[in-house]
Amino acid sequence: MADSILITGGAVIDGTGAAPRAGEAVLVRGDRVVALGAEALAEAESGGVDERIDASGRTVMPGLIDAHTHLSFGEPTGNDELFNHRTQGYSSMLSAYHARKVLRAGVTGVLDADCLWSIGVELRDAIDTGIVEGPRMRAGGQALMTMLGGTAGRMIADEGTTGYATVVHNRDMMVKEVRRQIKYGVDWIKIMVTGLIPSMKGPEVQVWNLDELRTVCDAAHELNTKVVAHCRNSASTRDAARAGVDLIYHASYMDDEALEAVVESGSALCPTFTLLGNLADYGQKIGSAPELLDVFRAEIEITAAQMAKAHAAGVPFLTGSETGFAVTPVGEWHARELEMFVQYMGMTPMEAIVAATANGAFALRMEGEVGTLETGRLADIIVIDGDPLQDITILQDREKIVEVIKGGRRIDITTPIPERRMRSTDQVRFLASCPLTRGLALTEEQLEKLARV
């Protein structure tokens, strides 16, 4: 690994929201940015450098931070596949395979807030110790659920752990589980505040009360651990904020009362529009139920209007893709959230970039260390062939990502990663999508003929 790298000629977007600086030099020594501009050139001249990168006509900026990923899930097509067709050992190896794809997408940091088994924590440590190549990572353990929680309905067992979920029934169990997860190394505790109840038609409902949420937040905060919550309605967002949740995912259909609670609490928001956007825009191509496509789009539009108010009120926003499902495969959609912030929330491209860089440091619990290109910060840098301030979508184009540097080390983004072939036991195989009735199988003429026999 080169001890020093000098990047010259590029337009620097430093992640702070400041205007880009054309032709700015960036000097990296070890794992840190040590100088910028004329000072970088002078120090390189006097002290020498090992490698030089000519970024003329390109953009130099901090690596992206994806605050909502699921690297241990293995890109399932649905909950049955996720909960019933995954083995621990194979999923661990698959997570390591996927971590390389994340870096190649220009993402140098992720929060993986809930996982199968304890893979998230183990993958984080494997990356930190150099066993696995991947982004900086902060991880949670199993998501905390009541027996009603989550999006899998009755697939979640009434007791114990199912997939990425651990069921807790009372405050003593909540505190015990929080402490257990912290003992084994989590950076975040995740709560599934809303869930789908099969007997109740419609969207997710709140399945935790305010006192229960406070119990988890207090137990985690006493041990210097952050809390993130899955909230897909307004009441859950309101109560999560009031309870002290640090980061709220989705905040779907947030009303003014919930918005006020978020503003007062200082909670950060990570809407995670990308999964909904992929379903709304491309669901037909992957077999999503047609009647749901308009529902997904409506959720984006209604929620985004309130998110724009939150942004105007100074609420911090982070970008998250919910990468790890079949509809959001690893390495493909991490940067789409920036586009959706611009399209649906009215953010400027620069504001979206700040959300995906400087603000993302909060998810990594590394404020002041990553997320911006400033002297003394860790050298997590990408070089883009083009200007994302003119076209924010170029951050999604792998061909436009010409350099990825993590901790001062240039990442190999050209050697092909072996193509994954699906293991037969990992996916659900259906005999039929609906009952084969005689009326469906036979023509009217055949049915009429049979009726005369």
Side-chain angles (χ1 to χ4, degrees):
M1 182 184 80
D3 182 64
S4 58
I5 303 171
L6 179 66
I7 307 171
T8 57
V12 169
I13 297 175
D14 66 13
T16 68
R21 300 187 296 273
E24 174 110 332
V26 179
L27 178 62
V28 174
R29 291 199 188 279
D31 63 354
R32 302 272 171 174
V33 175
V34 296
L36 297 162
E39 182 182 348
L41 294 173
E43 185 171 330
E45 182 69 22
S46 62
V49 292
D50 297 312
E51 295 188 21
R52 295 173 182 264
I53 296 174
D54 181 3
S56 299
R58 293 168 170 170
T59 299
V60 182
M61 60 182 285
L64 302 178
I65 298 172
D66 190 333
H68 193 171
T69 66
H70 297 289
L71 299 186
S72 68
F73 284 11
E75 302 173 341
T77 57
N79 283 319
D80 181 35
E81 184 180 322
L82 175 61
F83 290 128
N84 301 314
H85 295 258
R86 294 287 182 269
T87 59
Q88 183 170 355
Y90 191 80
S91 294
S92 296
M93 289 182 270
L94 183 57
S95 300
Y97 167 82
H98 278 151
R100 296 176 64 194
K101 290 186 174 183
V102 176
L103 267 182
R104 292 184 177 214
V107 176
T108 55
V110 300
L111 169 56
D112 206 84
D114 53 353
C115 62
L116 298 176
W117 300 286
S118 296
I119 290 174
V121 169
E122 303 294 351
L123 179 61
R124 177 202 66 197
D125 292 350
I127 292 170
D128 286 348
T129 56
I131 297 171
V132 171
E133 184 178 72
R136 297 186 192 279
M137 185 173 175
R138 292 296 177 265
Q142 279 82 32
L144 302 190
M145 294 190 187
T146 67
M147 63 193 299
L148 292 170
T151 60
R154 293 172 185 163
M155 285 189 186
I156 302 297
D158 293 348
E159 306 280 348
T161 296
T162 306
Y164 63 83
T166 291
V167 173
V168 288
H169 292 301
N170 54 52
R171 288 166 181 79
D172 287 344
M173 289 182 70
M174 293 167 191
V175 173
K176 180 179 179 180
E177 179 61 18
V178 167
R179 290 173 176 170
R180 187 195 69 80
Q181 290 194 17
I182 293 171
K183 175 182 179 179
Y184 289 104
V186 302
D187 304 294
W188 288 79
I189 297 291
K190 184 173 179 182
I191 313 173
M192 300 292 285
V193 187
T194 56
L196 289 172
I197 300 176
S199 59
M200 296 183 181
K201 302 301 181 184
E204 294 180 36
V205 299
Q206 184 172 342
V207 293
W208 288 67
N209 64 43
L210 179 58
D211 287 342
E212 290 168 336
L213 293 170
R214 281 178 173 150
T215 296
V216 172
C217 289
D218 289 348
H221 292 159
E222 286 170 0
L223 293 169
N224 191 35
T225 302
K226 302 289 188 184
V227 180
V228 58
H230 166 106
C231 299
R232 293 207 88 108
N233 66 21
S234 187
S236 63
T237 301
R238 177 200 64 208
D239 285 355
R242 289 175 177 173
V245 166
D246 302 282
L247 176 61
I248 299 174
Y249 285 156
H250 309 299
S252 303
Y253 306 108
M254 179 173 62
D255 63 16
D256 287 339
E257 182 184 21
L259 172 56
E260 183 179 349
V262 170
V263 172
E264 290 180 357
S265 71
S267 302
L269 295 176
C270 183
T272 317
F273 292 133
T274 296
L275 184 138
L276 293 173
N278 281 7
L279 287 167
D281 292 341
Y282 311 117
Q284 276 188 316
K285 296 184 177 182
I286 56 173
S288 301
E291 66 272 14
L292 293 178
L293 305 187
D294 289 339
V295 173
F296 297 140
R297 191 174 306 284
E299 180 175 341
I300 297 170
E301 292 173 350
I302 293 168
T303 303
Q306 287 295 92
M307 294 292 179
K309 290 183 183 179
H311 176 58
V315 173
F317 277 82
L318 284 68
T319 59
S321 62
E322 201 146 31
T323 279
F325 292 94
V327 71
T328 50
V330 177
E332 296 284 339
W333 300 99
H334 299 277
R336 190 182 182 197
E337 194 78 357
L338 286 81
E339 175 193 1
M340 299 192 77
F341 277 17
V342 172
Q343 178 180 354
Y344 289 98
M345 287 176 57
M347 279 192 182
T348 67
M350 181 66 85
E351 289 171 333
I353 288 172
V354 170
T357 55
N359 291 1
F362 175 70
L364 298 184
R365 304 190 62 184
M366 297 182 73
E367 298 98 320
E369 287 284 295
V370 298
T372 59
L373 288 187
E374 297 178 277
T375 301
R377 300 294 167 90
L378 287 164
D380 293 353
I381 303 168
I382 56 176
V383 180
I384 305 298
D385 188 12
D387 183 359
L389 297 179
Q390 296 300 314
D391 179 7
I392 196 68
T393 67
I394 68 170
L395 294 173
Q396 301 173 48
D397 186 347
R398 291 280 298 279
E399 297 298 318
K400 300 293 186 182
I401 302 170
V402 295
E403 290 280 353
V404 176
I405 298 170
K406 179 198 163 193
R409 184 175 73 88
R410 295 172 78 177
I411 303 300
D412 176 5
I413 61 174
T414 59
T415 302
I417 295 175
E419 184 179 352
R420 174 194 176 193
R421 294 185 298 275
M422 190 61 63
R423 190 170 66 155
S424 61
T425 55
D426 278 349
Q427 287 198 305
V428 182
R429 295 290 189 263
F430 292 107
L431 286 175
S433 59
C434 63
L436 182 60
T437 63
R438 289 166 59 84
L440 184 63
L442 304 177
T443 65
E444 290 186 11
E445 182 179 347
Q446 288 173 320
L447 288 170
E448 183 179 350
K449 182 177 180 180
L450 286 170
R452 294 196 298 265
V453 173

